[in-house]
């Protein structure tokens, strides 16, 4: 945005509609709204559906951060976005495990049923990945909170 405003101003265009202060206020408001949505989703994260909603809220906040990143101190944005990436990774792995377990059950009940050994191996492999992701949740949440809200500087 700022780069576009500078380009337009350097070309002799008036750019009264693009005011850096107004843009910053809009950005702060957008980020705060997405952050509130993430916190709300995190407060009710019971079960796979809740964790999926939390993952989607994290993704939306991350994209909003990426869009407005140039308006804020680079290091603070980078630390916050890195924490969001870690959160998305863990939540994505948990979601993948839930979907995988459903696919295994579906395959086991299909026309060409999985033998018990194959089903057990697949379920065990998925469960191990899910357990690793669940073990990381607390650290990821702490890292997210420790990253700090960069738009409140």
């Amino acid at each position: 945005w700022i780069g576009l405003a500078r380009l337009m101003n350097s070309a002799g265009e008036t750019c009264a509609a693009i005011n850096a202060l107004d843009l910053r206020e809009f950005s702060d408001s957008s980020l705060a709204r997405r952050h509130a949505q993430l916190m709300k989703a995190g407060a009710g994260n019971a079960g796979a559906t809740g964790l999926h909603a939390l993952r989607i809220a994290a993704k939306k906040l991350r994209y909003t951060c990426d869009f407005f990143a140039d308006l804020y101190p680079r290091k603070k944005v980078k630390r916050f976005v890195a924490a969001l990436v870690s959160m998305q990774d863990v939540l994505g792995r948990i979601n993948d495990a839930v979907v995988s377990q459903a696919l295994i059950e579906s395959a086991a009940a299909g026309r060409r049923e999985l033998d018990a050994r194959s089903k057990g191996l697949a379920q065990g492999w998925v469960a191990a990945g899910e357990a690793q992701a669940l073990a990381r949740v607390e650290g990821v949440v702490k890292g997210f909170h420790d990253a700090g809200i960069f738009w409140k500087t």
Side-chain angles (χ1 to χ4, degrees):
W1 286 98
I2 302 262
L4 176 61
R6 287 184 184 137
L7 178 64
M8 291 176 74
N9 282 332
S10 69
E13 301 282 334
T14 52
C15 200
I18 300 178
N19 180 320
L21 180 59
D22 292 339
L23 181 59
R24 179 69 182 258
E25 289 172 2
F26 176 74
S27 173
D28 288 351
S29 173
S30 297
L31 289 162
R33 187 176 64 254
R34 291 289 186 203
H35 184 263
Q37 291 169 347
L38 176 71
M39 299 308 286
K40 183 179 178 181
N45 67 359
T49 304
L51 289 175
H52 181 68
L54 181 61
R55 185 175 69 91
I56 298 303
K59 180 171 80 169
K60 289 179 179 181
L61 176 56
R62 179 180 166 202
Y63 291 162
T64 305
C65 290
D66 289 342
F67 186 78
F68 292 117
D70 290 340
L71 298 174
Y72 301 95
R74 186 176 306 246
K75 285 184 181 181
K76 290 182 179 184
V77 173
K78 189 174 182 176
R79 183 172 54 239
F80 189 85
V81 169
L84 277 174
V85 168
S86 293
M87 182 184 296
Q88 284 181 266
D89 179 56
V90 167
L91 293 171
R93 289 174 188 270
I94 294 168
N95 187 64
D96 290 348
V98 170
V99 170
S100 295
Q101 290 292 5
L103 288 173
I104 292 166
E105 289 300 324
S106 175
R111 287 186 295 180
R112 295 181 62 197
E113 291 185 19
L114 288 176
D115 63 275
R117 181 171 187 263
S118 297
K119 180 181 175 185
L121 285 171
Q123 287 176 322
W125 182 77
V126 169
E130 182 179 23
Q132 289 174 347
L134 287 169
R136 292 183 51 209
V137 168
E138 187 176 329
V140 166
V141 170
K142 182 182 181 327
F144 174 73
H145 288 295
D146 290 350
I149 298 173
F150 63 85
W151 60 92
K152 291 187 179 181
T153 56

